[in-house]
Amino acid sequence: MAKDEIEHTRTERPSTATATLAAQSGLGDWIDTLATKQGFGWKKWRDWRLYFFKGGLIVTAPDGYTAAYDWRTVRVLQYRTTVNGGASDACSTLIDPAGNALNVEFGRPPLFKSDKAAVGITSWVNGAGLLYPHMWADHIQECVTRTQLAGTVARIRHGERVNFGPTQPTSTESRTRSTRSPGRRSPNSASTPAL
């Protein structure tokens, strides 16, 4: 079994300022802490932290950057690649309700300016690469899904259109916007959903 390179940070409790922000944001009890690799070559990134709480996540950086994400309101874009069938790059972009996006991990999602606008991103920060991206990305995805899915399905059933990036399902149809060709926008296309 591979050695956990950040085992010593897993029990690192949030600072007073981070714990205060978690309480103000209603994130509940602290669960875990993840960090970047700690070697000399990682000096620029080694003090970044992901503090997991029952109700969300706080990201901190040594330059003072701090962002809180509530599982009830955060939106997450995940981009994963494989090489020869095995997991390779993985990154997650966390988007708060105001449209502030934080990309965590070294991979970068292939988003054009129009793609960012389509999902409501108003600002972008490239964060640190953290160990075990598939593990914590899966945890984030599970927490957001568990917290938001029932309400989202109820909204769709009541006829409301919800926005999943370029896909907008309702109870009677699903629309997809295509903005992948720079300078050209394809019209929305409608199809019957598989709900």
mmCIF file of all heavy atoms in Angstrom, residues 119-155:
data_model
loop_
_atom_site.group_PDB
_atom_site.id
_atom_site.type_symbol
_atom_site.label_atom_id
_atom_site.label_comp_id
_atom_site.label_asym_id
_atom_site.label_seq_id
_atom_site.Cartn_x
_atom_site.Cartn_y
_atom_site.Cartn_z
ATOM 1 N N VAL A 119 -22.284 28.832 -17.837
ATOM 2 C CA VAL A 119 -22.517 28.244 -16.515
ATOM 3 C C VAL A 119 -22.454 29.292 -15.404
ATOM 4 O O VAL A 119 -22.473 28.959 -14.232
ATOM 5 C CB VAL A 119 -21.561 27.062 -16.212
ATOM 6 C CG1 VAL A 119 -21.817 25.917 -17.156
ATOM 7 C CG2 VAL A 119 -20.115 27.480 -16.239
ATOM 8 N N GLY A 120 -22.369 30.564 -15.794
ATOM 9 C CA GLY A 120 -22.442 31.640 -14.817
ATOM 10 C C GLY A 120 -21.162 31.958 -14.080
ATOM 11 O O GLY A 120 -21.199 32.541 -13.000
ATOM 12 N N ILE A 121 -20.017 31.599 -14.649
ATOM 13 C CA ILE A 121 -18.741 31.909 -14.003
ATOM 14 C C ILE A 121 -18.394 33.375 -14.277
ATOM 15 O O ILE A 121 -18.344 33.805 -15.417
ATOM 16 C CB ILE A 121 -17.623 30.981 -14.512
ATOM 17 C CG1 ILE A 121 -17.899 29.538 -14.068
ATOM 18 C CG2 ILE A 121 -16.254 31.452 -14.014
ATOM 19 C CD1 ILE A 121 -16.943 28.516 -14.636
ATOM 20 N N THR A 122 -18.162 34.122 -13.194
ATOM 21 C CA THR A 122 -17.825 35.545 -13.324
ATOM 22 C C THR A 122 -16.362 35.828 -12.996
ATOM 23 O O THR A 122 -15.824 36.841 -13.415
ATOM 24 C CB THR A 122 -18.721 36.392 -12.402
ATOM 25 O OG1 THR A 122 -18.551 35.936 -11.045
ATOM 26 C CG2 THR A 122 -20.179 36.281 -12.814
ATOM 27 N N SER A 123 -15.721 34.958 -12.219
ATOM 28 C CA SER A 123 -14.289 35.099 -11.929
ATOM 29 C C SER A 123 -13.688 33.714 -11.780
ATOM 30 O O SER A 123 -14.390 32.745 -11.488
ATOM 31 C CB SER A 123 -14.056 35.930 -10.660
ATOM 32 O OG SER A 123 -14.487 35.216 -9.517
ATOM 33 N N TRP A 124 -12.373 33.617 -11.986
ATOM 34 C CA TRP A 124 -11.699 32.316 -12.031
ATOM 35 C C TRP A 124 -10.385 32.380 -11.270
ATOM 36 O O TRP A 124 -9.599 33.299 -11.473
ATOM 37 C CB TRP A 124 -11.431 31.959 -13.489
ATOM 38 C CG TRP A 124 -10.849 30.607 -13.718
ATOM 39 C CD1 TRP A 124 -9.521 30.262 -13.671
ATOM 40 C CD2 TRP A 124 -11.543 29.405 -14.041
ATOM 41 N NE1 TRP A 124 -9.361 28.938 -13.927
ATOM 42 C CE2 TRP A 124 -10.596 28.391 -14.167
ATOM 43 C CE3 TRP A 124 -12.885 29.110 -14.236
ATOM 44 C CZ2 TRP A 124 -10.937 27.083 -14.486
ATOM 45 C CZ3 TRP A 124 -13.224 27.809 -14.557
ATOM 46 C CH2 TRP A 124 -12.259 26.807 -14.684
ATOM 47 N N VAL A 125 -10.121 31.399 -10.398
ATOM 48 C CA VAL A 125 -8.853 31.268 -9.689
ATOM 49 C C VAL A 125 -8.344 29.849 -9.929
ATOM 50 O O VAL A 125 -9.094 28.888 -9.774
ATOM 51 C CB VAL A 125 -9.017 31.508 -8.168
ATOM 52 C CG1 VAL A 125 -7.735 31.175 -7.420
ATOM 53 C CG2 VAL A 125 -9.451 32.933 -7.893
ATOM 54 N N ASN A 126 -7.073 29.725 -10.327
ATOM 55 C CA ASN A 126 -6.443 28.415 -10.445
ATOM 56 C C ASN A 126 -5.783 28.086 -9.118
ATOM 57 O O ASN A 126 -4.861 28.773 -8.682
ATOM 58 C CB ASN A 126 -5.407 28.387 -11.569
ATOM 59 C CG ASN A 126 -6.054 28.285 -12.921
ATOM 60 O OD1 ASN A 126 -7.036 27.561 -13.089
ATOM 61 N ND2 ASN A 126 -5.543 29.005 -13.879
ATOM 62 N N GLY A 127 -6.285 27.053 -8.468
ATOM 63 C CA GLY A 127 -5.764 26.648 -7.170
ATOM 64 C C GLY A 127 -4.691 25.583 -7.297
ATOM 65 O O GLY A 127 -4.224 25.263 -8.386
ATOM 66 N N ALA A 128 -4.326 25.042 -6.163
ATOM 67 C CA ALA A 128 -3.253 24.057 -6.076
ATOM 68 C C ALA A 128 -3.713 22.671 -6.495
ATOM 69 O O ALA A 128 -4.897 22.358 -6.473
ATOM 70 C CB ALA A 128 -2.751 23.996 -4.635
ATOM 71 N N GLY A 129 -2.737 21.852 -6.839
ATOM 72 C CA GLY A 129 -2.988 20.438 -7.064
ATOM 73 C C GLY A 129 -2.871 19.708 -5.739
ATOM 74 O O GLY A 129 -1.892 19.888 -5.021
ATOM 75 N N LEU A 130 -3.862 18.928 -5.408
ATOM 76 C CA LEU A 130 -3.855 18.202 -4.143
ATOM 77 C C LEU A 130 -3.764 16.711 -4.403
ATOM 78 O O LEU A 130 -4.195 16.225 -5.450
ATOM 79 C CB LEU A 130 -5.110 18.534 -3.341
ATOM 80 C CG LEU A 130 -5.081 19.991 -2.873
ATOM 81 C CD1 LEU A 130 -6.210 20.756 -3.486
ATOM 82 C CD2 LEU A 130 -5.090 20.074 -1.379
ATOM 83 N N LEU A 131 -3.202 16.001 -3.447
ATOM 84 C CA LEU A 131 -3.098 14.554 -3.582
ATOM 85 C C LEU A 131 -4.481 13.911 -3.587
ATOM 86 O O LEU A 131 -5.429 14.461 -3.034
ATOM 87 C CB LEU A 131 -2.274 13.977 -2.428
ATOM 88 C CG LEU A 131 -0.790 14.299 -2.459
ATOM 89 C CD1 LEU A 131 -0.118 13.804 -1.184
ATOM 90 C CD2 LEU A 131 -0.130 13.655 -3.665
ATOM 91 N N TYR A 132 -4.559 12.744 -4.187
ATOM 92 C CA TYR A 132 -5.771 11.925 -4.222
ATOM 93 C C TYR A 132 -6.968 12.629 -4.860
ATOM 94 O O TYR A 132 -8.067 12.633 -4.304
ATOM 95 C CB TYR A 132 -6.144 11.438 -2.812
ATOM 96 C CG TYR A 132 -4.963 10.979 -2.007
ATOM 97 C CD1 TYR A 132 -4.631 11.607 -0.814
ATOM 98 C CD2 TYR A 132 -4.160 9.936 -2.449
ATOM 99 C CE1 TYR A 132 -3.532 11.194 -0.079
ATOM 100 C CE2 TYR A 132 -3.056 9.523 -1.721
ATOM 101 C CZ TYR A 132 -2.743 10.151 -0.535
ATOM 102 O OH TYR A 132 -1.665 9.748 0.187
ATOM 103 N N PRO A 133 -6.787 13.250 -6.032
ATOM 104 C CA PRO A 133 -7.887 14.024 -6.612
ATOM 105 C C PRO A 133 -9.144 13.208 -6.880
ATOM 106 O O PRO A 133 -10.252 13.727 -6.740
ATOM 107 C CB PRO A 133 -7.299 14.576 -7.906
ATOM 108 C CG PRO A 133 -6.175 13.672 -8.241
ATOM 109 C CD PRO A 133 -5.628 13.213 -6.918
ATOM 110 N N HIS A 134 -8.991 11.944 -7.239
ATOM 111 C CA HIS A 134 -10.191 11.147 -7.510
ATOM 112 C C HIS A 134 -10.965 10.888 -6.222
ATOM 113 O O HIS A 134 -12.186 10.900 -6.218
ATOM 114 C CB HIS A 134 -9.831 9.844 -8.222
ATOM 115 C CG HIS A 134 -9.274 10.087 -9.584
ATOM 116 N ND1 HIS A 134 -10.062 10.357 -10.665
ATOM 117 C CD2 HIS A 134 -7.997 10.156 -10.031
ATOM 118 C CE1 HIS A 134 -9.317 10.560 -11.736
ATOM 119 N NE2 HIS A 134 -8.059 10.452 -11.372
ATOM 120 N N MET A 135 -10.257 10.699 -5.119
ATOM 121 C CA MET A 135 -10.908 10.429 -3.845
ATOM 122 C C MET A 135 -11.718 11.648 -3.384
ATOM 123 O O MET A 135 -12.911 11.546 -3.119
ATOM 124 C CB MET A 135 -9.882 10.066 -2.769
ATOM 125 C CG MET A 135 -10.500 9.845 -1.392
ATOM 126 S SD MET A 135 -9.289 9.743 -0.077
ATOM 127 C CE MET A 135 -8.769 11.450 0.067
ATOM 128 N N TRP A 136 -11.082 12.807 -3.284
ATOM 129 C CA TRP A 136 -11.818 13.954 -2.766
ATOM 130 C C TRP A 136 -12.815 14.488 -3.776
ATOM 131 O O TRP A 136 -13.857 15.004 -3.394
ATOM 132 C CB TRP A 136 -10.898 15.043 -2.214
ATOM 133 C CG TRP A 136 -9.849 15.601 -3.118
ATOM 134 C CD1 TRP A 136 -8.524 15.289 -3.120
ATOM 135 C CD2 TRP A 136 -10.018 16.581 -4.140
ATOM 136 N NE1 TRP A 136 -7.866 16.016 -4.083
ATOM 137 C CE2 TRP A 136 -8.751 16.808 -4.728
ATOM 138 C CE3 TRP A 136 -11.113 17.282 -4.628
ATOM 139 C CZ2 TRP A 136 -8.569 17.705 -5.763
ATOM 140 C CZ3 TRP A 136 -10.925 18.188 -5.669
ATOM 141 C CH2 TRP A 136 -9.655 18.382 -6.212
ATOM 142 N N ALA A 137 -12.526 14.353 -5.074
ATOM 143 C CA ALA A 137 -13.495 14.789 -6.089
ATOM 144 C C ALA A 137 -14.755 13.930 -6.011
ATOM 145 O O ALA A 137 -15.876 14.448 -6.121
ATOM 146 C CB ALA A 137 -12.882 14.730 -7.478
ATOM 147 N N ASP A 138 -14.577 12.620 -5.821
ATOM 148 C CA ASP A 138 -15.737 11.740 -5.655
ATOM 149 C C ASP A 138 -16.525 12.123 -4.401
ATOM 150 O O ASP A 138 -17.755 12.122 -4.406
ATOM 151 C CB ASP A 138 -15.307 10.275 -5.557
ATOM 152 C CG ASP A 138 -14.821 9.712 -6.884
ATOM 153 O OD1 ASP A 138 -15.029 10.362 -7.932
ATOM 154 O OD2 ASP A 138 -14.216 8.620 -6.862
ATOM 155 N N HIS A 139 -15.816 12.445 -3.327
ATOM 156 C CA HIS A 139 -16.487 12.834 -2.078
ATOM 157 C C HIS A 139 -17.308 14.113 -2.289
ATOM 158 O O HIS A 139 -18.468 14.191 -1.859
ATOM 159 C CB HIS A 139 -15.462 13.041 -0.961
ATOM 160 C CG HIS A 139 -16.074 13.453 0.329
ATOM 161 N ND1 HIS A 139 -16.801 12.590 1.122
ATOM 162 C CD2 HIS A 139 -16.091 14.652 0.964
ATOM 163 C CE1 HIS A 139 -17.241 13.244 2.190
ATOM 164 N NE2 HIS A 139 -16.816 14.500 2.113
ATOM 165 N N ILE A 140 -16.719 15.098 -2.959
ATOM 166 C CA ILE A 140 -17.445 16.342 -3.243
ATOM 167 C C ILE A 140 -18.691 16.038 -4.077
ATOM 168 O O ILE A 140 -19.789 16.505 -3.771
ATOM 169 C CB ILE A 140 -16.529 17.359 -3.957
ATOM 170 C CG1 ILE A 140 -15.487 17.896 -2.985
ATOM 171 C CG2 ILE A 140 -17.350 18.503 -4.570
ATOM 172 C CD1 ILE A 140 -14.412 18.747 -3.634
ATOM 173 N N GLN A 141 -18.512 15.234 -5.120
ATOM 174 C CA GLN A 141 -19.639 14.896 -6.002
ATOM 175 C C GLN A 141 -20.752 14.188 -5.226
ATOM 176 O O GLN A 141 -21.928 14.495 -5.385
ATOM 177 C CB GLN A 141 -19.132 14.027 -7.144
ATOM 178 C CG GLN A 141 -20.145 13.774 -8.223
ATOM 179 C CD GLN A 141 -19.522 13.007 -9.363
ATOM 180 O OE1 GLN A 141 -18.974 11.930 -9.165
ATOM 181 N NE2 GLN A 141 -19.617 13.554 -10.559
ATOM 182 N N GLU A 142 -20.382 13.251 -4.364
ATOM 183 C CA GLU A 142 -21.378 12.519 -3.577
ATOM 184 C C GLU A 142 -22.119 13.450 -2.612
ATOM 185 O O GLU A 142 -23.343 13.371 -2.466
ATOM 186 C CB GLU A 142 -20.705 11.385 -2.801
ATOM 187 C CG GLU A 142 -20.263 10.246 -3.689
ATOM 188 C CD GLU A 142 -19.312 9.278 -2.983
ATOM 189 O OE1 GLU A 142 -19.143 9.375 -1.741
ATOM 190 O OE2 GLU A 142 -18.727 8.429 -3.681
ATOM 191 N N CYS A 143 -21.386 14.350 -1.960
ATOM 192 C CA CYS A 143 -22.019 15.278 -1.008
ATOM 193 C C CYS A 143 -22.977 16.235 -1.712
ATOM 194 O O CYS A 143 -24.089 16.470 -1.231
ATOM 195 C CB CYS A 143 -20.952 16.067 -0.245
ATOM 196 S SG CYS A 143 -20.031 15.060 0.932
ATOM 197 N N VAL A 144 -22.548 16.782 -2.841
ATOM 198 C CA VAL A 144 -23.403 17.710 -3.588
ATOM 199 C C VAL A 144 -24.637 16.979 -4.109
ATOM 200 O O VAL A 144 -25.756 17.470 -3.999
ATOM 201 C CB VAL A 144 -22.618 18.390 -4.730
ATOM 202 C CG1 VAL A 144 -23.540 19.151 -5.667
ATOM 203 C CG2 VAL A 144 -21.552 19.319 -4.158
ATOM 204 N N THR A 145 -24.451 15.785 -4.650
ATOM 205 C CA THR A 145 -25.577 15.010 -5.175
ATOM 206 C C THR A 145 -26.559 14.666 -4.065
ATOM 207 O O THR A 145 -27.770 14.864 -4.204
ATOM 208 C CB THR A 145 -25.082 13.731 -5.873
ATOM 209 O OG1 THR A 145 -24.206 14.098 -6.931
ATOM 210 C CG2 THR A 145 -26.233 12.918 -6.422
ATOM 211 N N ARG A 146 -26.044 14.175 -2.950
ATOM 212 C CA ARG A 146 -26.902 13.802 -1.824
ATOM 213 C C ARG A 146 -27.706 15.016 -1.326
ATOM 214 O O ARG A 146 -28.882 14.912 -1.000
ATOM 215 C CB ARG A 146 -26.051 13.227 -0.685
ATOM 216 C CG ARG A 146 -26.855 12.772 0.518
ATOM 217 C CD ARG A 146 -25.990 12.186 1.635
ATOM 218 N NE ARG A 146 -25.058 13.177 2.164
ATOM 219 C CZ ARG A 146 -23.736 13.089 2.072
ATOM 220 N NH1 ARG A 146 -23.171 12.058 1.497
ATOM 221 N NH2 ARG A 146 -22.966 14.028 2.582
ATOM 222 N N THR A 147 -27.084 16.184 -1.329
ATOM 223 C CA THR A 147 -27.726 17.383 -0.804
ATOM 224 C C THR A 147 -28.677 18.036 -1.805
ATOM 225 O O THR A 147 -29.739 18.527 -1.425
ATOM 226 C CB THR A 147 -26.654 18.405 -0.370
ATOM 227 O OG1 THR A 147 -25.776 17.764 0.554
ATOM 228 C CG2 THR A 147 -27.263 19.621 0.282
ATOM 229 N N GLN A 148 -28.332 18.041 -3.091
ATOM 230 C CA GLN A 148 -29.099 18.808 -4.071
ATOM 231 C C GLN A 148 -30.052 17.994 -4.955
ATOM 232 O O GLN A 148 -30.968 18.563 -5.534
ATOM 233 C CB GLN A 148 -28.138 19.578 -4.991
ATOM 234 C CG GLN A 148 -27.352 20.643 -4.285
ATOM 235 C CD GLN A 148 -26.467 21.439 -5.233
ATOM 236 O OE1 GLN A 148 -26.666 21.441 -6.442
ATOM 237 N NE2 GLN A 148 -25.492 22.133 -4.672
ATOM 238 N N LEU A 149 -29.860 16.695 -5.072
ATOM 239 C CA LEU A 149 -30.613 15.908 -6.052
ATOM 240 C C LEU A 149 -32.122 15.940 -5.831
ATOM 241 O O LEU A 149 -32.880 16.203 -6.770
ATOM 242 C CB LEU A 149 -30.118 14.460 -6.090
ATOM 243 C CG LEU A 149 -30.806 13.576 -7.134
ATOM 244 C CD1 LEU A 149 -30.552 14.120 -8.539
ATOM 245 C CD2 LEU A 149 -30.307 12.140 -7.012
ATOM 246 N N ALA A 150 -32.585 15.683 -4.620
ATOM 247 C CA ALA A 150 -34.034 15.621 -4.380
ATOM 248 C C ALA A 150 -34.710 16.940 -4.753
ATOM 249 O O ALA A 150 -35.757 16.945 -5.409
ATOM 250 C CB ALA A 150 -34.320 15.265 -2.923
ATOM 251 N N GLY A 151 -34.131 18.055 -4.358
ATOM 252 C CA GLY A 151 -34.708 19.358 -4.686
ATOM 253 C C GLY A 151 -34.692 19.643 -6.175
ATOM 254 O O GLY A 151 -35.638 20.219 -6.722
ATOM 255 N N THR A 152 -33.628 19.228 -6.840
ATOM 256 C CA THR A 152 -33.524 19.443 -8.285
ATOM 257 C C THR A 152 -34.561 18.620 -9.036
ATOM 258 O O THR A 152 -35.235 19.124 -9.941
ATOM 259 C CB THR A 152 -32.104 19.099 -8.776
ATOM 260 O OG1 THR A 152 -31.165 19.915 -8.062
ATOM 261 C CG2 THR A 152 -31.959 19.337 -10.261
ATOM 262 N N VAL A 153 -34.722 17.359 -8.657
ATOM 263 C CA VAL A 153 -35.729 16.505 -9.300
ATOM 264 C C VAL A 153 -37.129 17.079 -9.051
ATOM 265 O O VAL A 153 -37.960 17.120 -9.968
ATOM 266 C CB VAL A 153 -35.619 15.046 -8.804
ATOM 267 C CG1 VAL A 153 -36.805 14.210 -9.265
ATOM 268 C CG2 VAL A 153 -34.317 14.429 -9.289
ATOM 269 N N ALA A 154 -37.392 17.565 -7.845
ATOM 270 C CA ALA A 154 -38.700 18.161 -7.544
ATOM 271 C C ALA A 154 -38.948 19.388 -8.416
ATOM 272 O O ALA A 154 -40.062 19.576 -8.925
ATOM 273 C CB ALA A 154 -38.776 18.536 -6.065
ATOM 274 N N ARG A 155 -37.932 20.222 -8.610
ATOM 275 C CA ARG A 155 -38.081 21.406 -9.471
ATOM 276 C C ARG A 155 -38.412 20.998 -10.906
ATOM 277 O O ARG A 155 -39.260 21.607 -11.557
ATOM 278 C CB ARG A 155 -36.799 22.244 -9.431
ATOM 279 C CG ARG A 155 -36.603 22.941 -8.095
ATOM 280 C CD ARG A 155 -35.243 23.580 -7.935
ATOM 281 N NE ARG A 155 -34.900 24.439 -9.050
ATOM 282 C CZ ARG A 155 -33.659 24.745 -9.393
ATOM 283 N NH1 ARG A 155 -32.635 24.260 -8.703
ATOM 284 N NH2 ARG A 155 -33.420 25.552 -10.417
#
